[in-house]
Structure formats: C-alpha cells, structure tokens
Amino acid sequence: MKILRHILVLPVIFFAVLSADGESVTSWIRKKVENLAAQPTLNDSIKLFCLPTLQKQYQEHFYTPFWSSDVRIDELMSLIRHCDVDGLQPTDYHLKILDSLARKAGNENAATRDILLTDAFILLSSHLLNGKIDPQTITPRWNISPVDDRIIRFLIELPYVRVGDFYRSIIPQSHLYEGLRYQLKKYREIDKQGGWETIPSGKILKPGNDDSRISLVRKRLLSTGEYDGPEPEQPDFYDDQLSEAVILFQRNHGLEALGTIGPQTLAEMNTPASERIRQIEVNMERIRWLPESFPDYYILINIPDYMLFVYDHHIPVGEHKVIVGRTYRKTPIFHSTLQYLVFNPTWTIPPNILKYDILPEAQKDSGYLAERNIQVFESNGTKLKPEKVNFASADASGYTYRQLPGDQNALGVVKFVFPNPYNVFLHDTPSKRLFNRVRRTFSSGCIRVERPIELAQYLLMEQPEWTSRKIDKTIESRKTQVVRFNRKPEVFLVYLTAWENDDGQLQFRDDIYSRDEPIYKELKSSPDESN
C-alpha cells in the first residue's frame, strides 16, 4: 500500500516542480545542495545544522522538494513558532529567514526555503527526541549527525503524514514530561499576570497567629493552587485551612512539613515565578535525556529528592529515603542494571576516603582502626598490625584497608551492586539517624538506603529460598554472602529539581549540586547565524 501511495503522489510532485516558470525548484535545490560540498553554508552565509543528512536525503530523492505542500509547510512553521511550549526557542530553527522567504517569489527562493525547512525540521526533531544539550558535555547539539531513523522515515512519507502527528510521537511520552508541559504553561500565565507579591521577613508564623503577612501567604498559595478556600472573615489570622495549605506547599518543596512559616519556607514562597519557569524548562530538557520508555521493572533514584522508588510493571511498589554524596563528592548520574546483593559486606576503603578521612584519624589515634574493625594489608596480601604501621609515611597510602562485617561497618549489613564506572552502589548504614534530616548530602558518592532489608526482601521475592527468616539468619551469622538476582531491575540515577508527582502536585527541590544554571544558560543559547 505504501508503494502504491508513493506512485500515486509522484505525478503531483513532478507537476508542481516542473510547472513553475524558469529553472525548476528541483534544479535550484540540486545546485545549492551540491555547492554545500565546497561551501558548507547555504547561499554563502546561512549556517546549516544537519548537513550530512540533508545532503544524503536530497541526493537519494533526486533533489525533489520535501516541502511542496503548503499544508505541511504551515504545520511545520506552526510547530517551530510554538516550540516554546517544550522550553525551546523558535529562533533556533531558522524562523526569521523562513518568515522572510515566505514573502519572496521565485523558484530559487522556494529551493532555499525547502532546504531550510528540512534543516529546521531535522534539528527540532532531534532536540525533541534527545534534548538540545549533550548531557555528557553540557553543550548544545548544533551539528546533528547521525539522525534518528524516524526522522528520515517521516521525510520520505511527508506527503501523507501530518507534522503534528509526528511531533506527538517523538516528544517524551512519560507523565513527567506531560506534567511539566502543563505546569510551564500555568507558570507562564502566572508570570504574565505579575507573579506574586513578596512576603516580608519577620518572626516565625504559626497556626493561631495574627499577622499582616498571613493574607499575603494565602494569596501566594492561592496563585499556585495549594490553597483553594474562600477569603476568610479574618484575613490576617492563621487558621487550620491555611495551615493545611502551608504543609502541602512545604511537602511540594522538600521542606520539613510542620506548618510553621520560617525563613526557608518564606524563601521558597518568595522565589519569583520567572525562576520557577527556568527550573521547569531545565527539567523538561533533562527528561528528554531519559529513555523514551522505562522498562517494566526498575529502580529510580532522584538525587535532589533524596528518594528511591521501585517500580514493578510500571507500578510504584516501594519507596525509600536515601543519602547521597556531599557537594564536593557528588553522586553521578547514570543508568545500569542491578546484578546482586552482598549480605554482611566487607568494605575496602576507596583512595579518596582513605586519604582525607581515614589516614588523618589513624595518625591522631593508633587505636582508631582496631576500634572500627579495619584491617591493613600489603599489596602481596600480608596482614599488618595497625599499631606497627606509620600512618604518616608515604607507604601507608599504598596499603589496602578493609573493614570487616559488623555493627560499625560503613556499608551496614547489605549492599546492592550494579556495575558502573564510578564504583557507586547502594548500601545500608549504621548512621540511621541521618535519614531524619531533610537535606541528606552526607555520603562520599555512594547511596545509603533506608530500610535496606525490606528492599532486599522485595528484590528476592521471586527467589523463594530467600525467606525473611533465612535473610535474618544470614545477617546474624556475620558471614559475607553474595546473592545474585534472578530478576534484575534496571537502575536509573537521575537529577530532577522539578517534576509533577502522581497527585498532580508540582514538586521543586534545591539544586544541591548547582547543575541547573549551566543547563539553562546553554538551553537559551543560540547558534551564530548571519540570517
């Protein structure tokens, strides 16, 4: 059927191309595309971004125009004009010169316009599919090569596929992306209307207080939807309904949700709508970096949220607080697959922790290692007595330091291993109290997980020999045991500072590693174009 449709449409294209006066549009396209081999700019001045693909596709299709239909041109131009709904900039996609060419007659201008429409389409499609910014280098993708096969297939089938349908098929399909698109529109409307009034600082506000700032708090929460009640008879009184709205706001911003309004809550309330828009746009870009669809079974760890979620058949089946890397020992972002766990793990101390944490303490206290059940080995495996080691010597940093299983072991009673180049894994911790903190950046890069035995029980659920009783007895033995998973979840470490949760509540988190601003700067950058 597709072949038949191609045959039926060819006479229309042939007529449209050759019925124009003078040199045909096809001839002009051939000249211009062939000239690109010697001079990689169109008309000697207009930069193209998808040059290899563009040349190849025009050659393979005998230089016939891809954009011979006014309907398809209008659809693409509309998509370019409104790509800001995805946090992108219309001016990045030849918008100005395409608008000027629309007002010019002649086959040469038609050829230039067709080439620019093709280049804009490939660039915009690639940005929607993979992001405008390369997450590895945090630089914009202006030279697009290679190109996703779906883009090429669309160009080939362009006469009978609507641009809007293609666009809807390539934008991220996750609820995370759709939620942020909705919230971006909402916050832009708020910003257009002037945003919200700044709430002055002052004493901590608590339910039951009378304060002139209370009416401002109510208006602030009304604008973003946390408060949806009527204007009370006493607008300056902090009533129960407002308290519930404040608690919701605090939860939505990763704050301690007590209902009291102190400096941190005020700072979040006073963050301008324009800054929240920037945050939303940055995180839409991050979502474009993620896989188009997640597997049935996976673990998602959002670093700024300090949370781990287990999904089975796309349904959330468990959530755990986590502790992530300090700001100077950042937990990396990557994707892997969970392979096995280790009960009663030993801990071989990494070089950085050894250098900055362990050796300085051992120099001050000769009993430091013994108290923590840490053994010292030479490179040949010979065990050394800690009291005989000169920890201030250069030799000390060359030894292997291994902490045995036990109550003080830094990895706790279980660790979860997924191969990665950063030597990052999930593990238990003896420092349980730290999970009560709101900001949980205390690790050296690995991820400490709350209730790890519960997580292990779920992950081993389809291995019936590993009953709760057997897990408990294994831990009590203090013997190290490796258990490989029969069913292995994929693991995604992500960095989202804005997203919409399952309840439709927009979530904001602190940019703990200062990663938002560089992305926003590049997201709003434009190529050097002379058009």
Side-chain angles (χ1 to χ4, degrees):
M1 183 59 71
K2 284 188 177 181
I3 295 173
L4 179 60
R5 286 190 294 182
H6 278 296
I7 294 172
L8 290 174
V9 82
L10 280 175
V12 178
I13 296 174
F14 187 79
F15 176 78
V17 172
L18 296 186
S19 61
D21 293 335
E23 196 165 0
S24 70
V25 176
T26 297
S27 295
W28 275 114
I29 289 176
R30 178 190 290 274
K31 281 184 180 179
K32 290 175 182 293
V33 170
E34 289 178 346
N35 285 342
L36 291 172
Q39 173 58 264
T41 53
L42 186 62
N43 296 358
D44 295 327
S45 63
I46 304 170
K47 183 177 180 180
L48 297 172
F49 305 110
C50 312
L51 196 55
T53 299
L54 188 144
Q55 290 170 303
K56 183 173 185 289
Q57 291 309 308
Y58 275 114
Q59 288 166 1
E60 290 184 356
H61 294 85
F62 309 105
Y63 302 97
T64 56
F66 284 112
W67 304 92
S68 56
S69 163
D70 288 341
V71 172
R72 296 296 179 263
I73 293 172
D74 290 345
E75 287 176 341
L76 178 57
M77 291 303 295
S78 178
L79 180 57
I80 292 172
R81 290 186 207 285
H82 297 102
C83 69
D84 60 337
V85 301
D86 291 287
L88 299 173
Q89 299 187 116
T91 52
D92 287 348
Y93 309 102
H94 303 301
L95 179 62
K96 292 180 182 178
I97 194 166
L98 283 170
D99 277 341
S100 69
L101 286 169
R103 298 186 292 270
K104 294 179 180 179
N107 286 351
E108 182 181 1
N109 287 322
T112 298
R113 189 183 188 198
D114 198 89
I115 294 169
L116 286 176
L117 285 166
T118 302
D119 193 59
F121 169 75
I122 297 172
L123 182 65
L124 177 55
S125 298
S126 296
H127 286 174
L128 289 168
L129 275 166
N130 304 307
K132 175 179 175 179
I133 299 164
D134 183 344
Q136 301 300 320
T137 61
I138 312 298
T139 57
R141 309 177 203 253
W142 293 125
N143 298 307
I144 303 298
S145 181
V147 171
D148 192 288
D149 288 344
R150 284 169 291 181
I151 299 173
I152 304 306
R153 287 200 301 271
F154 175 82
L155 277 174
I156 294 169
E157 298 186 354
L158 187 58
Y160 26 82
V161 180
R162 298 190 69 87
V163 178
D165 292 340
F166 177 73
Y167 161 72
R168 283 184 286 275
S169 74
I170 63 170
I171 61 171
Q173 303 300 306
S174 72
H175 72 279
L176 289 172
Y177 193 78
E178 187 58 37
L180 285 187
R181 286 181 91 239
Y182 167 77
Q183 296 290 350
L184 180 60
K185 181 180 179 181
K186 172 183 170 179
Y187 271 72
R188 281 176 173 165
E189 286 299 320
I190 292 171
D191 195 41
K192 279 183 186 176
Q193 295 167 14
W196 40 74
E197 190 173 345
T198 299
I199 304 166
S201 58
K203 67 177 185 179
I204 293 176
L205 298 172
K206 300 178 181 179
N209 286 167
D210 270 299
D211 193 293
S212 59
R213 294 174 294 160
I214 295 298
S215 60
L216 294 177
V217 170
R218 189 174 284 106
K219 288 178 183 176
R220 166 65 184 85
L221 300 185
L222 187 65
S223 67
T224 47
E226 288 87 2
Y227 182 82
D228 60 1
E231 181 68 26
E233 293 181 6
Q234 296 176 282
D236 293 338
F237 179 69
Y238 192 169
D239 58 22
D240 290 342
Q241 190 170 12
L242 180 59
S243 176
E244 290 177 7
V246 169
I247 288 171
L248 178 59
F249 177 89
Q250 290 169 330
R251 287 175 179 156
N252 289 346
H253 291 75
L255 302 171
E256 195 171 12
L258 300 176
T260 55
I261 305 172
Q264 282 185 305
T265 300
L266 273 184
E268 294 293 335
M269 288 182 177
N270 286 333
T271 300
S274 57
E275 285 193 34
R276 294 307 189 193
I277 290 168
R278 291 160 65 113
Q279 204 169 349
I280 292 169
E281 290 176 340
V282 164
N283 285 279
M284 290 180 74
E285 174 70 4
R286 286 191 175 115
I287 294 169
R288 288 190 285 266
W289 299 343
L290 295 177
E292 290 181 54
S293 61
F294 284 93
D296 282 350
Y297 185 38
Y298 67 97
I299 292 172
L300 181 72
I301 302 165
N302 186 9
I303 295 168
D305 191 31
Y306 313 111
M307 290 297 294
L308 176 153
F309 299 90
V310 182
Y311 289 85
D312 202 343
H313 294 90
H314 303 287
I315 298 170
V317 293
E319 61 179 67
H320 302 255
K321 293 179 181 178
V322 296
I323 292 168
V324 300
R326 299 179 180 94
T327 54
Y328 57 92
R329 293 180 184 172
K330 300 177 178 66
T331 297
I333 301 166
F334 63 92
H335 164 225
S336 185
T337 301
L338 194 61
Q339 298 290 339
Y340 61 91
L341 61 75
V342 182
F343 288 121
N344 300 315
T346 59
W347 180 43
T348 300
I349 299 171
N352 274 354
I353 295 177
L354 180 67
K355 178 179 179 180
Y356 295 109
D357 299 336
I358 303 298
L359 289 181
E361 294 298 326
Q363 290 172 31
K364 291 187 287 185
D365 179 4
S366 60
Y368 178 83
L369 297 185
E371 289 171 7
R372 286 156 182 78
N373 216 7
I374 298 173
Q375 297 181 338
V376 185
F377 298 89
E378 289 184 311
S379 58
N380 61 6
T382 302
K383 182 179 174 182
L384 302 175
K385 293 183 178 181
E387 62 270 20
K388 301 292 186 181
V389 176
N390 178 6
F391 293 107
S393 70
D395 291 339
S397 61
Y399 299 143
T400 297
Y401 295 75
R402 186 173 299 124
Q403 189 177 39
L404 299 180
D407 295 336
Q408 295 191 64
N409 188 284
L411 306 184
V413 298
V414 61
K415 74 172 181 178
F416 305 84
V417 180
F418 37 98
N420 62 84
Y422 312 101
N423 197 29
V424 165
F425 47 84
L426 291 169
H427 64 88
D428 181 23
T429 175
S431 303
K432 312 291 187 189
R433 69 189 186 283
L434 295 178
F435 289 109
N436 296 325
R437 303 281 189 91
V438 172
R439 185 183 176 100
R440 296 191 290 276
T441 49
F442 302 115
S443 86
S444 297
C446 285
I447 301 156
R448 306 176 198 172
V449 60
E450 187 186 39
R451 307 189 324 277
I453 302 306
E454 184 181 314
L455 178 60
Q457 287 171 339
Y458 188 86
L459 296 172
L460 292 170
M461 187 170 55
E462 296 191 14
Q463 293 171 243
E465 70 275 17
W466 280 100
T467 62
S468 296
R469 180 173 173 76
K470 182 175 179 178
I471 290 173
D472 290 342
K473 288 179 74 67
T474 301
I475 292 170
E476 288 168 8
S477 75
R478 296 211 171 176
K479 293 181 180 178
T480 301
Q481 184 163 354
V482 175
V483 184
R484 298 196 172 274
F485 296 114
N486 291 345
R487 188 175 178 225
K488 300 172 182 178
E490 295 186 43
V491 180
F492 297 89
L493 275 74
V494 301
Y495 191 95
L496 295 178
T497 59
W499 72 96
E500 189 182 85
N501 68 11
D502 293 337
D503 297 326
Q505 295 290 326
L506 180 57
Q507 305 292 301
F508 290 111
R509 296 294 183 269
D510 285 345
D511 179 16
I512 55 175
Y513 294 158
S514 301
R515 288 174 170 167
D516 280 4
E517 186 57 33
I519 293 174
Y520 183 79
K521 180 181 177 183
E522 297 300 345
L523 197 57
K524 295 303 174 183
S525 68
S526 292
D528 295 326
E529 291 186 82
S530 56
N531 50 335

